[in-house]
Amino acid sequence: MDTQYYIKSYCKIKEAHVTFNNNIVFEDDAKDLKSFLKNIYKHLALKYAKFFKMDNLSKLAFLGAELLLQDDEKDTDRDIAIVLSNRASSLETDRKHQEAIQDKEKYYPSPAIFVYTLPNIAVGEISIRHQLKSENAFFVFDTFNAEFLCNYATVLLEKNKAESVLCGWVDVDGENYDGFMYLVSRKGKIKHTIKELTNLYQN
Amino acid sequence: MEELKLELKNKIIENLNLEDVSIDEIGDNDPLFGDGLGLDSIDALELIVMLDKDYGIKLLDPKEGKKIFESIEVMATYIAEHRK
Amino acid sequence: MKQIFITYNNIISSLGFDTISNIENVSNGVSGIKKIDDDNLLQQPFYSSLIDTVKLDVAFQNIGDITAYTRLEKMMILSLKDVISQSNIPLDAKTGFIISTTKGNVDTLDENSSFPKERAYLSELGKQIQQFLSIQNEAVIVSNACVSGVMAVSISKRMIESKLYEHVLIVSGDVVSEFILSGFQSFQALSDAPCKPFSKNRTGITIGEAAASVLVTSNENYLSKDAVQILGDASHNDANHISGPSRTGEGLVRSMKSAFKEANIETQQIDYVSLHGTATNYNDEMEAIALNRMHLEKVPVNSLKGYYGHTLGASGLLETIVGMQSLYNNCLYPSYGFDELGVSQSINIIEKTKKKELTVFLKTASGFGGSNTAVIFKKNKNK
């Protein structure tokens, strides 16, 4: 693994702020996460009706991908792998599905909720939106795992399994959320290292 | 019947999260699937749950849904005839 | 690039608590699917392949407190412990650890569960298993819907290729819960009879439960007699729909192409394909289309869902292990439940147990979120 790769761009959706390459794109004092995510959608002037069908985890990941892939052509066959991770998996939606089946007198499992009880649906939503028929995976860790993500993205690039890699940590647990996504590429200014990733995530 | 149709439009917008659609945009005879509202297979399953939950109608054969969910008009007629 | 192998393995399922007893049942044409009548799981009777609770507790009480661990934890610990003792692998920093599961301990969200709700966090499941078995590394948890089990194999190989690890232990598992059954039922995907993959009269999925474990290694001192080399692997998205598979099989075709390219072999060299075959209309049709696009329509194929049901996060690894045994025994096992071909394109379903010299096999899986995985394995003939 001798080739140096770079973090081409990165974004954060955290603590009522949206930043792109460390510049504030949007800030908001929405009362809840759902409204905050909707306000970002509006701020970015997106037109994508499916957004409103997504659960908060998919919305968070979707918006991060919009920021990072905004300059790219959607029609061309781009080889961008997607590697996402978080702590709570799809637990927020799992709780909703459990609620729908807990009471046997009011037992109405909803297919529109159940389908989001898998964290990799967020990867699927981004793939559909940007027509990325590429390598993809979803991982769960206790905390942001810069070491694993850095090594995994490097292997994908090293073995020519992708041209670039959309990586990130997208966690939603109740009203708590934490989004950090970045694009690893063969060109850029910030070196793709565990140290840099840890730095960017923490600061 | 008009009341039921209005109720259905409201429910569809809410249950299927059609945030960008307003009630006036759904005509009684507009197709709900395909070119119309652009609903998909998960929406069809969700409508089956709605029939059960709100109107006590159980569809045993999901293929039946295709006909019933053709438009608001067809849905309202079916519900009026079968509701419990 | 160094060679990477899957070696020691274990399956815990309705058909047995080790690989040998599972294979004995499969080769004797025994299915683990039965009719279940249990209000706590589903309000009406359904078909499933369940692990006997008493048998599980009897096995577990020799090593731990049966009330302190969830059903899934007991299955996973027993399964992985078997692989660790068979292989004698050191559990140090050079041995990575992967768990693949779709829903983990999600059943602890139920108000009637005796476990705290925190147990539903997948990292909590990871800690329980890591601590019980004294594994040094934190678990890398792969949760990628129905492809998780075989995707874990691909990821283990990449972890070893990154030179961070010499070995990787994988345990895959999911349990049958009301959570899962109610969801698949709301999708109207549950079959009202034991599933019949690729058959004309198929009526949907049968859900099952299992845990499966393997050791993946680049060290030739740890090769078992049934070891296979991992030649190539890939996981591509359909970018089509979050629950339905692509009509053209695009993601699966791309996964297979990428795996073949890496393996540097021709499609004619494939002796057997272990398909996903969930017995839903769309899945089976999509797989038949993808096989034809890859010119693999004449290669013998099966789905093992007729024996085990769909064991979700375990299925891909469980079916890989059965594939390894096919190679080792030079034996093709029939696609249980199959009668008359019910897909639009011709494929070569294995209908009877058949002895045949086998060297290379392909394992595929597809699932929600548009996910697909393909991995190619080759028998290790040096042994």
Side-chain angles (χ1 to χ4, degrees):
Chain A
M1 309 286 161
D2 299 325
T3 318
Q4 180 62 57
Y5 299 104
Y6 297 89
I7 300 163
K8 192 179 160 199
S9 52
Y10 65 98
C11 69
K12 284 187 188 183
I13 303 179
K14 196 174 182 171
E15 289 159 1
H17 284 72
V18 180
T19 60
F20 180 73
N21 292 343
N22 212 22
N23 300 313
I24 294 182
V25 174
F26 182 68
E27 53 188 313
D28 188 72
D29 52 2
K31 59 181 189 332
D32 56 30
L33 176 57
K34 193 182 170 192
S35 319
F36 176 51
L37 294 170
K38 184 176 161 181
N39 293 343
I40 301 172
Y41 171 91
K42 287 194 167 157
H43 177 80
L44 297 176
L46 301 174
K47 283 237 165 287
Y48 194 68
K50 277 187 205 155
F51 176 79
F52 298 104
K53 293 178 181 282
M54 298 178 196
D55 71 347
N56 284 344
L57 174 63
S58 281
K59 282 179 182 169
L60 181 69
F62 174 89
L63 291 169
E66 285 303 303
L67 289 162
L68 293 171
L69 303 176
Q70 57 190 353
D71 297 324
D72 290 300
E73 291 288 321
K74 284 195 174 46
D75 303 327
T76 54
D77 202 345
R78 293 164 303 162
D79 195 5
I80 305 171
I82 305 176
V83 181
L84 297 183
S85 59
N86 75 5
R87 173 166 195 271
S89 179
S90 57
L91 209 48
E92 195 45 36
T93 303
D94 295 357
R95 291 177 185 126
K96 286 191 180 133
H97 178 65
Q98 183 61 38
E99 222 171 89
I101 60 170
Q102 189 67 55
D103 183 349
K104 297 299 161 281
E105 302 299 312
K106 288 181 247 156
Y107 176 95
Y108 295 108
S110 153
I113 291 175
F114 182 68
V115 71
Y116 287 100
T117 64
L118 293 163
N120 66 301
I121 298 295
V123 174
E125 294 283 17
I126 296 170
S127 302
I128 294 168
R129 164 70 166 174
H130 299 280
Q131 280 304 296
L132 302 177
K133 294 167 185 153
S134 39
E135 272 285 342
N136 61 104
F138 199 104
F139 298 98
V140 177
F141 296 103
D142 204 25
T143 51
F144 175 66
N145 193 334
E147 187 191 24
F148 180 86
L149 289 177
C150 185
N151 284 314
Y152 193 73
T154 302
V155 172
L156 287 177
L157 294 167
E158 200 83 352
K159 297 189 66 194
N160 289 311
K161 291 284 182 184
E163 270 303 306
S164 52
V165 189
L166 177 67
C167 285
W169 176 261
V170 280
D171 198 40
V172 171
D173 195 353
E175 282 297 304
N176 298 321
Y177 60 94
D178 182 7
F180 169 54
M181 289 167 73
Y182 56 94
L183 203 55
V184 187
S185 155
R186 290 169 205 276
K187 286 179 193 146
K189 290 197 180 90
I190 310 169
K191 282 186 176 175
H192 177 240
T193 60
I194 298 165
K195 200 175 153 200
E196 283 291 355
L197 285 176
T198 310
N199 244 332
L200 293 179
Y201 174 69
Q202 283 170 352
N203 302 312
Chain B
M1 199 61 170
E2 289 310 309
E3 208 177 298
L4 176 60
K5 283 191 238 172
L6 187 65
E7 181 181 297
L8 281 175
K9 288 178 193 175
N10 271 315
K11 274 185 202 266
I12 285 176
I13 289 173
E14 199 196 314
N15 291 355
L16 305 184
N17 294 306
L18 305 177
E19 195 111 349
D20 285 342
V21 179
S22 68
I23 296 179
D24 337 323
E25 288 175 68
I26 311 178
D28 291 354
N29 292 301
D30 289 354
L32 295 175
F33 288 82
D35 291 338
L37 275 182
L39 303 185
D40 75 354
S41 55
I42 301 176
D43 295 315
L45 294 164
E46 201 60 33
L47 289 177
I48 293 176
V49 177
M50 188 183 97
L51 280 192
D52 182 13
K53 191 173 174 180
D54 297 345
Y55 303 101
I57 302 171
K58 281 198 198 296
L59 287 193
L60 294 174
D61 181 3
K63 282 182 200 125
E64 255 186 288
K66 269 202 167 164
K67 284 177 244 158
I68 299 163
F69 305 141
E70 197 185 301
S71 66
I72 292 288
E73 186 74 43
V74 180
M75 246 180 113
T77 311
Y78 184 86
I79 290 172
E81 278 170 22
H82 295 84
R83 73 191 301 171
K84 282 172 190 147
Chain C
M1 202 59 97
K2 58 185 160 190
Q3 299 188 334
I4 296 170
F5 303 89
I6 298 192
T7 66
Y8 298 95
N9 53 79
N10 167 281
I11 300 170
I12 289 193
S13 77
S14 58
L15 293 183
F17 277 36
D18 55 29
T19 301
I20 290 180
S21 47
N22 271 273
I23 295 305
E24 227 170 67
N25 277 315
V26 166
S27 59
N28 289 332
V30 177
S31 165
I33 299 174
K34 289 188 172 66
K35 192 172 189 171
I36 311 288
D37 203 342
D38 181 350
D39 280 353
N40 294 319
L41 287 174
L42 200 65
Q43 285 160 346
Q44 58 266 45
F46 62 101
Y47 285 88
S48 184
S49 157
L50 299 180
I51 292 170
D52 187 289
T53 303
V54 175
K55 204 179 153 195
L56 180 64
D57 284 345
V58 166
F60 194 79
Q61 69 187 12
N62 297 323
I63 55 168
D65 175 0
I66 56 167
T67 59
Y69 296 92
T70 65
R71 182 178 182 80
L72 179 64
E73 287 160 7
K74 286 185 261 193
M75 287 157 51
M76 284 185 160
I77 289 170
L78 280 170
S79 177
L80 191 53
K81 194 174 190 320
D82 183 23
V83 168
I84 293 169
S85 36
Q86 283 183 61
S87 61
N88 241 329
I89 199 83
L91 302 175
D92 56 18
K94 297 301 280 178
T95 302
F97 176 32
I98 296 180
I99 293 179
S100 83
T101 182
T102 64
K103 294 314 311 161
N105 285 321
V106 80
D107 47 330
T108 60
L109 290 182
D110 191 306
E111 282 172 12
N112 302 315
S113 165
S114 55
F115 290 93
K117 293 195 168 31
E118 284 66 44
R119 204 67 159 242
Y121 284 91
L122 294 180
S123 54
E124 196 54 41
L125 168 70
K127 280 180 207 160
Q128 293 294 337
I129 293 168
Q130 186 194 347
Q131 281 165 12
F132 190 100
L133 296 170
S134 307
I135 296 169
Q136 189 170 333
N137 282 302
E138 178 194 347
V140 169
I141 300 173
V142 181
S143 190
N144 227 87
C146 303
V147 310
S148 304
V150 64
M151 187 188 255
V153 172
S154 161
I155 287 157
S156 70
K157 173 167 161 277
R158 291 169 185 176
M159 283 167 70
I160 292 172
E161 282 166 345
S162 78
K163 298 188 181 113
L164 281 182
Y165 304 96
E166 190 179 355
H167 325 279
V168 175
L169 286 165
I170 308 176
V171 59
S172 300
D174 267 303
V175 291
V176 170
S177 61
E178 184 184 33
F179 186 101
I180 291 291
L181 291 167
S182 62
F184 276 98
Q185 197 188 34
S186 78
F187 260 87
Q188 310 210 343
L190 283 190
S191 177
D192 55 6
C195 67
K196 295 170 74 63
F198 301 104
S199 297
K200 204 172 175 179
N201 302 315
R202 67 186 184 275
T203 51
I205 296 181
T206 297
I207 301 288
E209 62 187 6
S213 306
V214 296
L215 172 68
V216 179
T217 181
S218 55
N219 183 334
E220 301 204 2
N221 295 320
Y222 288 95
L223 298 188
S224 58
K225 59 186 186 342
D226 54 354
V228 292
Q229 190 191 343
I230 310 168
L231 295 181
D233 53 286
S235 301
H236 284 250
N237 202 283
D238 282 334
N240 178 60
H241 194 267
I242 52 170
S243 62
S246 152
R247 297 279 171 112
T248 60
E250 186 62 24
L252 182 54
V253 166
R254 287 187 187 220
S255 303
M256 289 193 273
K257 280 187 180 162
S258 171
F260 273 106
K261 190 177 163 200
E262 184 184 356
N264 197 20
I265 61 164
E266 303 296 321
T267 49
Q268 300 94 288
Q269 288 173 263
I270 298 289
D271 295 310
Y272 157 57
V273 186
S274 173
L275 292 172
H276 190 46
T278 60
T280 66
N281 270 328
Y282 290 128
N283 175 80
D284 293 6
E285 177 66 18
M286 179 279 285
E287 287 188 90
I289 289 167
L291 276 181
N292 277 272
R293 283 182 63 187
M294 292 298 293
H295 308 294
L296 288 165
E297 67 275 6
K298 299 234 160 54
V299 180
V301 298
N302 65 10
S303 158
L304 297 166
K305 302 292 190 291
Y307 298 94
Y308 295 102
H310 189 346
T311 56
L312 306 173
S315 64
L317 190 62
L318 185 162
E319 291 157 12
T320 296
I321 296 172
V322 176
M324 288 168 70
Q325 309 311 311
S326 269
L327 257 51
Y328 178 67
N329 296 324
N330 288 308
C331 186
L332 293 168
Y333 301 116
S335 200
Y336 194 97
F338 178 78
D339 43 36
E340 195 183 338
L341 192 68
V343 288
S344 70
Q345 303 204 23
S346 139
I347 53 173
N348 180 13
I349 304 268
I350 304 161
E351 296 193 58
K352 284 198 180 95
T353 306
K354 196 179 163 192
K355 284 276 176 190
K356 194 186 168 201
E357 180 68 29
L358 303 171
T359 308
V360 181
F361 88 100
L362 164 67
K363 171 74 203 126
T364 69
S366 303
F368 274 11
S371 52
N372 301 275
T373 297
V375 184
I376 300 169
F377 302 94
K378 186 181 177 198
K379 187 190 285 184
N380 177 37
K381 284 189 171 160
N382 302 332
K383 279 305 261 197

